[in-house]
Amino acid sequence: MSVKNKVVVITGASSGIGEASAKLLAKKGAKVVLGARRESKLQQIVTDIQQNGGEAVYQVTDVTKRADSQQLVDLAKKQYGKIDVMFLNAGLMPNSPLSALKVDEWERMVDVNLKGVLYGIAAVLPDFTKQKHGQIIATSSVAGLKAYPGGGVYGATKWAVRDLMEVLRMESVQEKTHIRTSTIYPAAIQSELLTTITDKGTAKGAQKLYDAYQISPERIANVVAFAVDQPEDTTVNEFTVGPSAQSW
């Protein structure tokens, strides 16, 4: 089953990887359902897709609210009659040393990066289980593969996503529901992640790194499209992707 005519729900769709993936998948013939908090951005992306001959709808979505994730899935089914792929991409990265005790930011990362993924899975899993097919893709990070000073809580949420997705893959095999999973571990990708960093020292170091190495989110969109395009009997479970010049 190719990308064409698949219904793909994307969270964190208003910029970066989510926006790039939505536009590429729509160009390849998918019907995309976009969720994020910024309505004006979503409106513009949907307009761009439609003007280029694609199909897209959106709904303002806060992934920290379980009902919002459910409503986004419901919109996909109402608009297009089904759902084939859930791309759980929303995330934020307000990194800082643990000693800075930015507990409010820790909680926000847990809410968005981990609970947001859990709520997305909860919203789509009953349909995928019933129809015995479907695909869940999640954006983790290279910080979900190795530890980085300043990224303790961010990394913890991304390690959790890694484990969660692997267990989901294994359980779907045991339960014979045929749900495919793919976890993406991006390195320095041009996005709005750095704008969430309030710790000045951490922000300065991250900006220097990204200025030197970052590649466009379209590179990750290509990986997302590749994963979606695989035959239903094939799971490509993990992708680690980043600048060829960066020693992540």
Side-chain angles (χ1 to χ4, degrees):
M1 188 175 183
S2 68
V3 172
K4 188 174 177 61
N5 293 322
K6 281 190 174 179
V7 177
V8 183
V9 176
I10 304 174
T11 66
S14 62
S15 65
I17 292 170
E19 177 182 359
S21 298
K23 290 180 175 178
L24 179 60
L25 290 169
K27 184 178 180 181
K28 290 178 175 289
K31 300 173 175 65
V32 294
V33 181
L34 311 183
R37 291 178 299 162
R38 294 176 294 179
E39 185 166 19
S40 61
K41 291 281 290 181
L42 291 170
Q43 287 176 332
Q44 185 59 57
I45 294 165
V46 166
T47 298
D48 291 345
I49 289 172
Q50 291 173 343
Q51 288 178 346
N52 283 285
E55 293 189 61
V57 293
Y58 78 87
Q59 181 160 293
V60 175
T61 304
D62 181 346
V63 298
T64 69
K65 299 176 181 178
R66 183 177 178 183
D68 279 23
S69 291
Q70 186 61 61
Q71 288 165 10
L72 187 63
V73 168
D74 291 344
L75 172 63
K77 293 189 293 182
K78 179 180 179 181
Q79 185 74 21
Y80 298 119
K82 62 171 185 171
I83 175 171
D84 298 297
V85 183
M86 186 76 166
F87 181 23
L88 301 170
N89 174 66
L92 70 168
M93 191 182 71
N95 282 349
S96 63
L98 292 170
S99 58
L101 294 177
K102 293 182 177 287
V103 178
D104 288 345
E105 293 181 357
W106 300 354
E107 292 176 345
R108 183 67 176 162
M109 279 187 278
V110 170
D111 286 345
V112 174
N113 298 352
L114 179 52
K115 292 174 70 175
V117 171
L118 286 166
Y119 291 158
I121 291 173
V124 79
L125 202 55
D127 290 289
F128 283 179
T129 299
K130 182 178 180 180
Q131 66 195 28
K132 293 193 180 302
H133 71 83
Q135 183 174 23
I136 298 176
I137 304 172
T139 302
S140 179
S141 167
V142 290
L145 298 171
K146 60 183 293 186
Y148 294 92
V153 178
Y154 177 73
T157 64
K158 295 302 186 177
W159 278 79
V161 168
R162 178 190 185 192
D163 183 78
L164 175 63
M165 291 291 287
E166 177 65 359
V167 171
L168 177 61
R169 181 191 68 80
M170 296 171 73
E171 289 183 351
S172 72
V173 173
Q174 292 176 342
E175 296 167 4
K176 301 187 187 319
T177 52
H178 309 291
I179 298 167
R180 299 189 295 153
T181 65
S182 295
T183 308
I184 303 173
Y185 307 98
I189 308 299
Q190 185 179 16
S191 71
E192 297 180 352
L193 280 179
L194 299 192
T195 65
T196 67
I197 302 176
T198 63
D199 182 82
K200 292 182 179 180
T202 303
K204 183 178 180 180
Q207 190 65 60
K208 182 178 180 181
L209 175 73
Y210 274 65
D211 286 346
Y213 298 115
Q214 65 185 348
I215 56 177
S216 77
E218 283 75 17
R219 304 295 186 265
I220 306 299
N222 289 334
V223 172
V224 173
F226 174 83
V228 173
D229 197 40
Q230 296 309 297
E232 291 296 316
D233 64 356
T234 303
T235 291
V236 185
N237 195 40
E238 295 184 307
F239 299 91
T240 305
V241 190
S244 57
Q246 182 189 2
S247 59
W248 33 267

